[in-house]
mmCIF file of all heavy atoms in Angstrom:
data_model
loop_
_atom_site.group_PDB
_atom_site.id
_atom_site.type_symbol
_atom_site.label_atom_id
_atom_site.label_comp_id
_atom_site.label_asym_id
_atom_site.label_seq_id
_atom_site.Cartn_x
_atom_site.Cartn_y
_atom_site.Cartn_z
ATOM 1 N N LEU A 80 -28.136 -3.948 7.928
ATOM 2 C CA LEU A 80 -27.980 -5.348 8.331
ATOM 3 C C LEU A 80 -28.223 -5.485 9.838
ATOM 4 O O LEU A 80 -28.983 -6.432 10.242
ATOM 5 C CB LEU A 80 -26.623 -5.825 7.937
ATOM 6 C CG LEU A 80 -26.342 -7.259 8.328
ATOM 7 C CD1 LEU A 80 -27.238 -8.241 7.667
ATOM 8 C CD2 LEU A 80 -24.872 -7.633 7.963
ATOM 9 N N VAL A 81 -27.663 -4.688 10.649
ATOM 10 C CA VAL A 81 -27.762 -4.886 12.086
ATOM 11 C C VAL A 81 -29.199 -4.564 12.547
ATOM 12 O O VAL A 81 -29.668 -5.117 13.554
ATOM 13 C CB VAL A 81 -26.791 -4.059 12.892
ATOM 14 C CG1 VAL A 81 -25.363 -4.489 12.569
ATOM 15 C CG2 VAL A 81 -26.939 -2.561 12.571
ATOM 16 N N ARG A 82 -29.939 -3.701 11.829
ATOM 17 C CA ARG A 82 -31.338 -3.447 12.162
ATOM 18 C C ARG A 82 -32.144 -4.671 11.896
ATOM 19 O O ARG A 82 -33.064 -4.997 12.687
ATOM 20 C CB ARG A 82 -31.834 -2.244 11.418
ATOM 21 C CG ARG A 82 -31.557 -0.913 12.059
ATOM 22 C CD ARG A 82 -32.505 0.191 11.576
ATOM 23 N NE ARG A 82 -32.615 0.226 10.128
ATOM 24 C CZ ARG A 82 -31.852 0.977 9.379
ATOM 25 N NH1 ARG A 82 -30.886 1.734 9.905
ATOM 26 N NH2 ARG A 82 -32.012 0.972 8.048
ATOM 27 N N GLN A 83 -31.871 -5.407 10.774
ATOM 28 C CA GLN A 83 -32.610 -6.564 10.511
ATOM 29 C C GLN A 83 -32.292 -7.679 11.604
ATOM 30 O O GLN A 83 -33.177 -8.490 11.802
ATOM 31 C CB GLN A 83 -32.218 -7.072 9.111
ATOM 32 C CG GLN A 83 -32.620 -6.153 8.027
ATOM 33 C CD GLN A 83 -32.084 -6.638 6.654
ATOM 34 O OE1 GLN A 83 -31.610 -7.749 6.534
ATOM 35 N NE2 GLN A 83 -32.238 -5.790 5.624
ATOM 36 N N LEU A 84 -31.097 -7.637 12.126
ATOM 37 C CA LEU A 84 -30.751 -8.640 13.184
ATOM 38 C C LEU A 84 -31.138 -8.224 14.536
ATOM 39 O O LEU A 84 -30.928 -8.959 15.530
ATOM 40 C CB LEU A 84 -29.239 -8.906 13.151
ATOM 41 C CG LEU A 84 -28.713 -9.468 11.792
ATOM 42 C CD1 LEU A 84 -27.162 -9.609 11.855
ATOM 43 C CD2 LEU A 84 -29.312 -10.802 11.506
ATOM 44 N N GLY A 85 -31.686 -7.014 14.692
ATOM 45 C CA GLY A 85 -32.049 -6.530 15.999
ATOM 46 C C GLY A 85 -30.936 -6.105 16.915
ATOM 47 O O GLY A 85 -30.996 -6.167 18.095
ATOM 48 N N ALA A 86 -29.798 -5.700 16.287
ATOM 49 C CA ALA A 86 -28.586 -5.258 17.079
ATOM 50 C C ALA A 86 -28.203 -3.875 16.649
ATOM 51 O O ALA A 86 -27.039 -3.603 16.416
ATOM 52 C CB ALA A 86 -27.483 -6.291 16.898
ATOM 53 N N GLN A 87 -29.126 -2.940 16.565
ATOM 54 C CA GLN A 87 -28.847 -1.593 16.082
ATOM 55 C C GLN A 87 -27.921 -0.876 17.051
ATOM 56 O O GLN A 87 -27.146 0.047 16.594
ATOM 57 C CB GLN A 87 -30.138 -0.796 15.997
ATOM 58 C CG GLN A 87 -30.002 0.571 15.307
ATOM 59 C CD GLN A 87 -31.301 1.250 15.033
ATOM 60 O OE1 GLN A 87 -32.359 0.711 15.378
ATOM 61 N NE2 GLN A 87 -31.228 2.423 14.483
ATOM 62 N N SER A 88 -27.805 -1.278 18.295
ATOM 63 C CA SER A 88 -26.955 -0.567 19.249
ATOM 64 C C SER A 88 -25.460 -0.846 18.936
ATOM 65 O O SER A 88 -24.586 -0.094 19.440
ATOM 66 C CB SER A 88 -27.233 -1.026 20.670
ATOM 67 O OG SER A 88 -27.103 -2.380 20.795
ATOM 68 N N PHE A 89 -25.220 -1.850 18.083
ATOM 69 C CA PHE A 89 -23.794 -2.189 17.810
ATOM 70 C C PHE A 89 -23.393 -1.658 16.411
ATOM 71 O O PHE A 89 -22.386 -2.120 15.839
ATOM 72 C CB PHE A 89 -23.575 -3.717 17.832
ATOM 73 C CG PHE A 89 -23.594 -4.227 19.266
ATOM 74 C CD1 PHE A 89 -24.769 -4.764 19.781
ATOM 75 C CD2 PHE A 89 -22.505 -4.161 20.107
ATOM 76 C CE1 PHE A 89 -24.830 -5.234 21.047
ATOM 77 C CE2 PHE A 89 -22.560 -4.588 21.373
ATOM 78 C CZ PHE A 89 -23.723 -5.153 21.863
ATOM 79 N N THR A 90 -24.155 -0.812 15.818
ATOM 80 C CA THR A 90 -23.835 -0.221 14.546
ATOM 81 C C THR A 90 -22.510 0.516 14.604
ATOM 82 O O THR A 90 -21.670 0.405 13.653
ATOM 83 C CB THR A 90 -24.911 0.690 14.120
ATOM 84 O OG1 THR A 90 -26.209 0.002 14.054
ATOM 85 C CG2 THR A 90 -24.663 1.266 12.687
ATOM 86 N N GLY A 91 -22.273 1.273 15.644
ATOM 87 C CA GLY A 91 -21.030 2.006 15.713
ATOM 88 C C GLY A 91 -19.784 1.092 15.781
ATOM 89 O O GLY A 91 -18.790 1.431 15.077
ATOM 90 N N ALA A 92 -19.867 0.023 16.501
ATOM 91 C CA ALA A 92 -18.707 -0.843 16.597
ATOM 92 C C ALA A 92 -18.420 -1.522 15.232
ATOM 93 O O ALA A 92 -17.261 -1.559 14.852
ATOM 94 C CB ALA A 92 -18.990 -1.974 17.606
ATOM 95 N N THR A 93 -19.458 -1.985 14.541
ATOM 96 C CA THR A 93 -19.250 -2.676 13.232
ATOM 97 C C THR A 93 -18.696 -1.683 12.216
ATOM 98 O O THR A 93 -17.809 -1.985 11.456
ATOM 99 C CB THR A 93 -20.533 -3.256 12.800
ATOM 100 O OG1 THR A 93 -21.558 -2.304 12.733
ATOM 101 C CG2 THR A 93 -20.948 -4.439 13.699
ATOM 102 N N SER A 94 -19.243 -0.443 12.193
ATOM 103 C CA SER A 94 -18.847 0.512 11.219
ATOM 104 C C SER A 94 -17.406 0.922 11.466
ATOM 105 O O SER A 94 -16.588 0.991 10.525
ATOM 106 C CB SER A 94 -19.828 1.707 11.198
ATOM 107 O OG SER A 94 -21.115 1.302 10.881
ATOM 108 N N VAL A 95 -17.094 1.332 12.719
ATOM 109 C CA VAL A 95 -15.772 1.870 12.999
ATOM 110 C C VAL A 95 -14.735 0.813 12.831
ATOM 111 O O VAL A 95 -13.685 1.070 12.289
ATOM 112 C CB VAL A 95 -15.767 2.515 14.383
ATOM 113 C CG1 VAL A 95 -14.362 2.930 14.768
ATOM 114 C CG2 VAL A 95 -16.715 3.626 14.500
ATOM 115 N N LEU A 96 -14.981 -0.410 13.323
ATOM 116 C CA LEU A 96 -13.972 -1.509 13.133
ATOM 117 C C LEU A 96 -13.762 -1.829 11.692
ATOM 118 O O LEU A 96 -12.639 -2.058 11.258
ATOM 119 C CB LEU A 96 -14.452 -2.708 13.887
ATOM 120 C CG LEU A 96 -14.414 -2.591 15.431
ATOM 121 C CD1 LEU A 96 -14.967 -3.858 16.042
ATOM 122 C CD2 LEU A 96 -13.027 -2.342 15.909
ATOM 123 N N ALA A 97 -14.814 -1.804 10.866
ATOM 124 C CA ALA A 97 -14.661 -2.068 9.469
ATOM 125 C C ALA A 97 -13.812 -1.014 8.774
ATOM 126 O O ALA A 97 -12.952 -1.309 7.936
ATOM 127 C CB ALA A 97 -15.962 -2.178 8.742
#
Side-chain angles (χ1 to χ4, degrees):
L80 178 61
V81 296
R82 277 203 309 271
Q83 295 176 9
L84 298 177
Q87 188 173 359
S88 59
F89 290 96
T90 303
T93 55
S94 299
V95 175
L96 289 178

